[in-house]
Amino acid sequence: MKVGRNDPCTCGSGRKFKHCCERARAEGKGDWSQYALWALALAFGLGIGGLVYGVARAPDDGRVWSAEHGHWHNADGTEIAAGARAAGTLTPQPPGPAPEGKVWSAEHGHWHDAVTGEASPE
C-alpha cells in the first residue's frame, strides 16, 4: 500500500510523510536498510574469519582445549598444570598435612574438594 504525502510517516516519527522520509529519499538519504544489511554481512564475515583463524592457530603439540574446565588438556584427556607444560613435571603437594576435606591435584597445582572435586579458593 502506498503512503500518501499527508499520511503519518511509516518510520514512527509522528511527522507527516512529506516532511520526513519522503524528503530524505528525494535527497538520497533515509533508507539505511541497505547499509544495515552490509554491516551485518561484514560482521558475520569477520566472525567466521575469526573462528577459522582460531581453529587454524590451535596448538599442534597434542593439546586440546576443554571449554568445560577452561584450560588445555592433553589429547588423551589428562589435564596439564600451568607449570607442568613448561617444565614437563607435575606440581608437588606443598609440605604439611592436607586441609580437612581437600585433596591435592598435581595436574592443577592446587587443592580440590575431596567430595565434589571442585577447585578450592585456597
Side-chain angles (χ1 to χ4, degrees):
M1 182 172 149
K2 187 174 179 182
V3 178
R5 293 190 51 177
N6 289 317
D7 292 338
C9 189
T10 57
C11 74
S13 67
R15 298 167 55 190
K16 288 184 178 182
F17 179 69
K18 66 183 177 184
H19 294 299
C20 192
C21 289
E22 182 182 46
R23 183 179 294 170
R25 284 189 192 144
E27 295 171 359
K29 303 175 188 171
D31 188 12
W32 288 92
S33 61
Q34 65 182 357
Y35 301 114
L37 184 60
W38 279 106
L40 285 172
L42 179 63
F44 181 74
L46 289 173
I48 294 296
L51 178 66
V52 169
Y53 179 75
V55 169
R57 289 192 34 92
D60 192 21
D61 60 357
R63 295 183 297 154
V64 292
W65 180 256
S66 169
E68 178 184 357
H69 298 127
H71 56 250
W72 294 98
H73 284 211
N74 292 318
D76 63 2
T78 59
E79 299 191 35
I80 304 171
R85 188 170 40 242
T89 61
L90 299 176
T91 308
Q93 180 175 336
E100 187 174 333
K102 303 293 180 186
V103 293
W104 180 254
S105 171
E107 293 84 11
H108 296 139
H110 56 247
W111 298 102
H112 282 225
D113 185 59
V115 176
T116 65
E118 296 290 323
S120 72
E122 298 176 20

